[in-house]
Amino acid sequence: MKHKPASAPGRDQEALRNCSPEDAGLDPALYAAAITYLFDRRVPEEQRQEWYWDLGEPEFPATPIEWTRIQTVLFANAGRDLQGFDNEQVGMGLNYLMSNDISDVPFAAIDPAVPLGDAMRMMGAMPALWQRCIGPRLASLLAPIGSSAGGSLGHVCHMWFDVWPTFWHVRHVPAWKDALWAVLRQMLEVPCRAVQVAALHGIGHHGDQLDRRQDIDRALGTFMRSVEERDEELRNYAAAARTGRVL
């Protein structure tokens, strides 16, 4: 099945990117507690592990629909709501949301109890996470693609669409295909090389499932023409993403 190219963000999407807990049908106190739980953590020193590997760490008391809405509000407002945390704290908290090796949160939005509309609202807010939080924080990061530079936040940025299992389980659902393509396409426009690489990484892994080869070819062709001549590594990575050959 072919899909029409995703349209540019309009007023409704911009409003979504500024949504409050109340707008998402979420108790503000629960949202505030989730922010504390995810990000107000000590960065491990020496051989210590991140907080989420502690077997005694209690799980956060939220249902799948609540976790979906927490992520919606967090993605929309991360640039503001995470200002008080450093990059390592932000990276650790986002890793909890990204990786099912750490938590079950990545499965929240595809839980049968969660309406598709709520899941799509979460996906509609996701570009703001990269535009307003990850991008500005990693804007000065210029490192070889795939390196360990950038700490925990750099890891999350690069590996999100490689590790995040959510889309893989709903890759045959047209609404999810449209939503993920909209996220990746907007990430390519973020003026941060690390975010652009992350978008290419995601396209490389999921391009075949998105079922929009012409859109991908057109977007990556435009992107490659916009890359500065001296950044041959980025152009080559975009070419690899075009054919699904990324690491």
Side-chain angles (χ1 to χ4, degrees):
M1 180 183 297
K2 293 184 179 180
H3 300 279
K4 296 180 180 180
S7 58
R11 291 182 181 178
D12 291 344
Q13 190 167 14
E14 187 59 30
L16 171 61
R17 294 183 185 184
N18 293 285
C19 73
S20 66
E22 294 90 342
D23 293 333
L26 190 66
D27 180 354
L30 182 67
Y31 176 68
I35 294 296
T36 299
Y37 179 85
L38 291 168
F39 302 103
D40 192 8
R41 301 289 187 167
R42 180 175 297 179
V43 176
E45 299 176 355
E46 298 178 351
Q47 301 301 314
R48 295 179 181 274
Q49 293 183 309
E50 292 85 352
W51 60 272
Y52 39 70
W53 297 123
D54 183 354
L55 295 178
E57 179 64 38
E59 293 186 4
F60 188 75
T63 64
I65 185 64
E66 288 171 334
W67 266 124
T68 301
R69 292 173 176 175
I70 288 167
Q71 290 179 94
T72 299
V73 181
L74 171 60
F75 294 161
N77 300 291
R80 180 195 68 203
D81 293 353
L82 302 185
Q83 283 183 349
F85 307 105
D86 65 27
N87 284 6
E88 287 300 302
Q89 291 174 304
V90 171
M92 289 191 299
L94 292 179
N95 201 17
Y96 189 89
L97 304 179
M98 173 186 78
S99 175
N100 64 293
D101 285 339
I102 297 172
S103 78
D104 290 331
V105 174
F107 299 115
I110 56 174
D111 188 279
V114 176
L116 181 62
D118 281 272
M120 293 299 97
R121 189 177 178 91
M122 182 195 81
M123 292 298 291
M126 186 178 278
L129 171 67
W130 305 87
Q131 294 163 338
R132 301 178 180 179
C133 178
I134 297 176
R137 285 173 178 269
L138 298 181
S140 62
L141 180 64
L142 299 174
I145 295 173
S147 73
S148 59
S152 64
L153 185 58
H155 168 76
V156 165
C157 178
H158 184 67
M159 294 299 292
W160 187 286
F161 299 101
D162 189 335
V163 173
W164 190 60
T166 311
F167 176 70
W168 181 254
H169 290 275
V170 287
R171 63 191 184 279
H172 302 301
V173 180
W176 275 95
K177 295 182 182 186
D178 292 343
L180 182 60
W181 173 239
V183 173
L184 295 171
R185 179 178 50 80
Q186 291 175 68
M187 286 171 60
L188 279 177
E189 300 172 358
V190 175
C192 170
R193 187 178 189 270
V195 172
Q196 293 169 350
V197 169
L200 295 171
H201 197 187
I203 292 170
H205 280 291
H206 297 301
D208 288 342
Q209 288 81 44
L210 293 175
D211 190 25
R212 53 191 348 124
R213 178 50 53 192
Q214 290 185 349
D215 292 340
I216 291 172
D217 286 345
R218 183 164 47 248
L220 293 191
T222 299
F223 176 77
M224 291 167 70
R225 289 190 293 273
S226 73
V227 174
E228 296 181 9
E229 286 188 12
R230 67 174 179 271
D231 200 343
E232 184 177 358
E233 182 189 38
L234 185 56
R235 286 202 308 276
N236 289 342
Y237 197 74
R242 207 171 191 172
T243 57
R245 296 180 291 108
V246 296
L247 298 176

